[in-house]
Short mmCIF file of all heavy atoms in Angstrom, two decimals:
data_model
loop_
_atom_site.label_atom_id
_atom_site.label_comp_id
_atom_site.label_asym_id
_atom_site.label_seq_id
_atom_site.Cartn_x
_atom_site.Cartn_y
_atom_site.Cartn_z
N MET A 1 95.65 94.26 84.82
CA MET A 1 95.71 94.87 83.46
C MET A 1 96.58 93.99 82.59
O MET A 1 97.82 93.89 82.88
CB MET A 1 96.31 96.28 83.55
CG MET A 1 95.52 97.18 84.40
SD MET A 1 95.93 99.00 84.16
CE MET A 1 97.66 98.90 84.10
N GLY A 2 95.99 93.38 81.52
CA GLY A 2 96.81 92.61 80.58
C GLY A 2 97.56 91.44 81.21
O GLY A 2 98.67 91.12 80.84
N GLY A 3 96.96 90.84 82.27
CA GLY A 3 97.56 89.66 82.87
C GLY A 3 98.53 89.99 83.96
O GLY A 3 99.07 89.07 84.57
N ILE A 4 98.76 91.26 84.25
CA ILE A 4 99.63 91.67 85.38
C ILE A 4 98.88 92.59 86.29
O ILE A 4 97.83 93.13 85.93
CB ILE A 4 100.90 92.37 84.81
CG1 ILE A 4 100.51 93.65 84.09
CG2 ILE A 4 101.72 91.47 83.89
CD1 ILE A 4 101.77 94.56 83.74
N MET A 5 99.48 92.78 87.49
CA MET A 5 98.71 93.69 88.40
C MET A 5 98.95 95.07 87.96
O MET A 5 99.99 95.48 87.51
CB MET A 5 99.38 93.52 89.80
CG MET A 5 99.01 92.19 90.47
SD MET A 5 97.26 91.82 90.62
CE MET A 5 96.88 93.07 91.89
N GLY A 6 97.84 95.83 88.11
CA GLY A 6 97.96 97.34 87.75
C GLY A 6 98.80 98.11 88.74
O GLY A 6 99.36 97.52 89.65
N PRO A 7 98.85 99.42 88.59
CA PRO A 7 99.68 100.28 89.47
C PRO A 7 99.27 100.08 90.96
O PRO A 7 98.15 100.07 91.31
CB PRO A 7 99.28 101.72 89.03
CG PRO A 7 98.80 101.49 87.63
CD PRO A 7 98.08 100.18 87.61
N MET A 8 100.28 99.74 91.75
CA MET A 8 100.11 99.64 93.14
C MET A 8 99.99 100.99 93.82
O MET A 8 100.76 101.88 93.58
CB MET A 8 101.23 98.84 93.85
CG MET A 8 101.29 97.39 93.34
SD MET A 8 102.83 96.61 94.09
CE MET A 8 102.36 96.79 95.84
N LEU A 9 99.01 101.12 94.62
CA LEU A 9 98.71 102.42 95.28
C LEU A 9 99.39 102.49 96.65
O LEU A 9 99.54 101.42 97.27
CB LEU A 9 97.23 102.72 95.40
CG LEU A 9 96.53 102.84 94.00
CD1 LEU A 9 95.01 102.86 94.25
CD2 LEU A 9 96.98 104.01 93.28
N PRO A 10 99.72 103.65 97.12
CA PRO A 10 100.35 103.74 98.45
C PRO A 10 99.38 103.15 99.50
O PRO A 10 98.20 103.01 99.35
CB PRO A 10 100.51 105.32 98.65
CG PRO A 10 100.52 105.80 97.24
CD PRO A 10 99.66 104.91 96.45
N ALA A 11 100.01 102.86 100.70
CA ALA A 11 99.32 102.16 101.80
C ALA A 11 98.06 102.88 102.25
O ALA A 11 97.04 102.22 102.53
CB ALA A 11 100.28 101.92 102.92
N GLN A 12 98.04 104.18 102.19
CA GLN A 12 96.85 104.96 102.73
C GLN A 12 95.64 104.76 101.87
O GLN A 12 94.55 104.94 102.24
CB GLN A 12 97.17 106.42 103.04
CG GLN A 12 97.33 107.23 101.81
CD GLN A 12 98.73 107.28 101.24
OE1 GLN A 12 99.54 106.41 101.67
NE2 GLN A 12 98.96 108.10 100.36
N TYR A 13 95.90 104.39 100.60
CA TYR A 13 94.76 104.14 99.68
C TYR A 13 94.25 102.75 99.78
O TYR A 13 93.17 102.39 99.53
CB TYR A 13 95.22 104.50 98.23
CG TYR A 13 95.15 105.94 98.01
CD1 TYR A 13 96.34 106.58 97.55
CD2 TYR A 13 93.98 106.77 98.18
CE1 TYR A 13 96.32 107.93 97.30
CE2 TYR A 13 93.99 108.10 97.91
CZ TYR A 13 95.12 108.68 97.46
OH TYR A 13 95.20 110.00 97.24
N ALA A 14 95.23 101.79 100.04
CA ALA A 14 94.88 100.39 100.03
C ALA A 14 93.92 100.06 101.18
O ALA A 14 93.16 99.10 101.12
CB ALA A 14 96.13 99.51 100.16
N THR A 15 94.07 100.74 102.25
CA THR A 15 93.27 100.50 103.47
C THR A 15 92.65 101.81 103.97
O THR A 15 93.36 102.81 104.07
CB THR A 15 94.06 99.88 104.63
OG1 THR A 15 94.78 98.71 104.14
CG2 THR A 15 93.19 99.60 105.79
N ASP A 16 91.33 101.78 104.25
CA ASP A 16 90.71 102.95 104.85
C ASP A 16 91.10 103.08 106.30
O ASP A 16 90.88 102.20 107.07
CB ASP A 16 89.13 102.73 104.71
CG ASP A 16 88.41 103.97 105.04
OD1 ASP A 16 88.89 104.82 105.90
OD2 ASP A 16 87.32 104.24 104.48
N ARG A 17 91.74 104.22 106.58
CA ARG A 17 92.29 104.42 107.94
C ARG A 17 91.48 105.39 108.72
O ARG A 17 91.97 105.94 109.74
CB ARG A 17 93.77 104.92 107.86
CG ARG A 17 94.65 103.84 107.14
CD ARG A 17 96.12 104.23 107.31
NE ARG A 17 96.38 105.52 106.72
CZ ARG A 17 97.18 106.45 107.28
NH1 ARG A 17 97.71 106.22 108.44
NH2 ARG A 17 97.33 107.59 106.70
N ASP A 18 90.25 105.69 108.34
CA ASP A 18 89.41 106.51 109.16
C ASP A 18 89.28 105.92 110.53
O ASP A 18 89.17 104.68 110.71
CB ASP A 18 88.06 106.69 108.49
CG ASP A 18 88.09 107.51 107.24
OD1 ASP A 18 89.12 108.13 106.99
OD2 ASP A 18 87.06 107.45 106.47
N ASN A 19 89.22 106.75 111.52
CA ASN A 19 89.29 106.28 112.96
C ASN A 19 88.05 106.79 113.73
O ASN A 19 87.93 108.02 113.94
CB ASN A 19 90.57 106.77 113.56
CG ASN A 19 90.80 106.17 114.99
OD1 ASN A 19 90.22 105.10 115.27
ND2 ASN A 19 91.49 106.93 115.76
N TYR A 20 87.17 105.91 114.13
CA TYR A 20 86.01 106.20 114.88
C TYR A 20 86.02 105.37 116.19
O TYR A 20 86.34 104.17 116.17
CB TYR A 20 84.69 105.93 114.12
CG TYR A 20 84.66 106.67 112.82
CD1 TYR A 20 84.93 106.11 111.61
CD2 TYR A 20 84.26 108.08 112.87
CE1 TYR A 20 84.86 106.86 110.39
CE2 TYR A 20 84.15 108.73 111.69
CZ TYR A 20 84.50 108.18 110.44
OH TYR A 20 84.39 108.89 109.31
N LYS A 21 85.66 106.02 117.27
CA LYS A 21 85.64 105.33 118.55
C LYS A 21 84.28 104.59 118.80
O LYS A 21 83.27 105.20 118.52
CB LYS A 21 85.83 106.34 119.69
CG LYS A 21 85.97 105.67 121.12
CD LYS A 21 86.37 106.65 122.10
CE LYS A 21 86.54 106.03 123.49
NZ LYS A 21 87.00 107.02 124.50
N HIS A 22 84.42 103.33 119.19
CA HIS A 22 83.11 102.59 119.43
C HIS A 22 82.59 102.97 120.78
O HIS A 22 83.28 102.98 121.76
CB HIS A 22 83.47 101.13 119.35
CG HIS A 22 82.23 100.26 119.72
ND1 HIS A 22 81.10 100.21 118.99
CD2 HIS A 22 82.03 99.56 120.81
CE1 HIS A 22 80.27 99.40 119.49
NE2 HIS A 22 80.76 99.00 120.72
N ARG A 23 81.25 103.15 120.79
CA ARG A 23 80.59 103.41 122.06
C ARG A 23 79.25 102.63 121.99
O ARG A 23 78.49 102.71 121.04
CB ARG A 23 80.23 104.91 122.23
CG ARG A 23 81.49 105.81 122.38
CD ARG A 23 81.06 107.23 122.59
NE ARG A 23 82.23 108.09 122.83
CZ ARG A 23 82.97 108.66 121.84
NH1 ARG A 23 82.67 108.48 120.56
NH2 ARG A 23 83.97 109.50 122.16
N ASP A 24 79.01 101.86 123.02
CA ASP A 24 77.74 101.10 123.09
C ASP A 24 76.57 102.06 123.25
O ASP A 24 76.64 103.07 123.97
CB ASP A 24 77.79 100.10 124.20
CG ASP A 24 78.72 98.95 124.01
OD1 ASP A 24 78.98 98.62 122.79
OD2 ASP A 24 79.26 98.42 125.03
#
């Protein structure tokens, strides 16, 4: 925004932390 970084969001928004178990 205007040459600077916009509002930094909390960590839980920056990375999707949904958790699913992998099964073949």
Side-chain angles (χ1 to χ4, degrees):
M1 297 194 321
I4 63 172
M5 292 300 290
M8 294 178 61
L9 294 173
Q12 72 272 13
Y13 283 120
T15 303
D16 191 326
R17 299 189 300 138
D18 291 347
N19 185 26
Y20 300 101
K21 184 171 181 176
H22 175 68
R23 296 179 176 89
D24 291 331

